[in-house]
Amino acid sequence: QVQLVESGGGLVQPGGSLRLSCAASGSMFNINAMGWYRQPPGKQREWVATITRGGPTNYIDSVKGRFTISRDNAKNTVYPQMNSLKPEDTAVYYCFADVGVRYWGKGTLVTVSS
């Protein structure tokens, strides 16, 4: 069992920055990858970014160059740094962890609006 708790969401103006965090607890030694999905209002959930145990990262095209995901293995925490935020980034952001099965956090709301 892996428990994931997201934090750091909130309201930010267009062009601003926000840093989310996802803290993992429980049986973490088998975590192969962690990352984020998001679900904009009225739309389906979409994958955003992944960071593997060794560190390689992947991003959806719409956030490349703006979002950076990092991982602190000592704290079992993953951080997406989100810069140059746009209104279309507004969504509930969900953290996930893959340990053979996928675990999810409950989500944190990011609203980009002036």
Side-chain angles (χ1 to χ4, degrees), residues 4 13 23 45 48 55 79 96 101-104:
L4 302 172
Q13 292 187 342
R45 191 178 296 192
V48 176
Y79 305 96
F96 72 87
V101 296
R102 178 162 287 182
Y103 289 91
W104 293 95

Side-chain angles (χ1 to χ4, degrees), residues 15-29:
S17 298
L18 209 57
R19 189 193 196 207
L20 306 182
S21 67
C22 173
S25 61
S27 300
M28 296 170 289
F29 64 93

Side-chain angles (χ1 to χ4, degrees), residues 55-113:
T57 56
N58 285 291
Y59 303 90
I60 190 173
D61 285 347
S62 60
V63 308
K64 285 181 180 178
R66 301 189 297 120
F67 289 15
T68 302
I69 188 170
S70 59
R71 184 169 175 170
D72 185 334
N73 290 325
K75 295 182 178 180
N76 298 308
T77 301
V78 173
Y79 305 96
Q81 175 67 43
M82 307 186 296
N83 299 326
S84 302
L85 283 162
K86 303 176 181 180
E88 51 263 43
D89 294 318
T90 294
V92 177
Y93 283 73
Y94 296 92
C95 176
F96 72 87
D98 288 338
V99 293
V101 296
R102 178 162 287 182
Y103 289 91
W104 293 95
K106 293 184 178 181
T108 184
L109 177 63
V110 172
T111 303
V112 184
S113 175

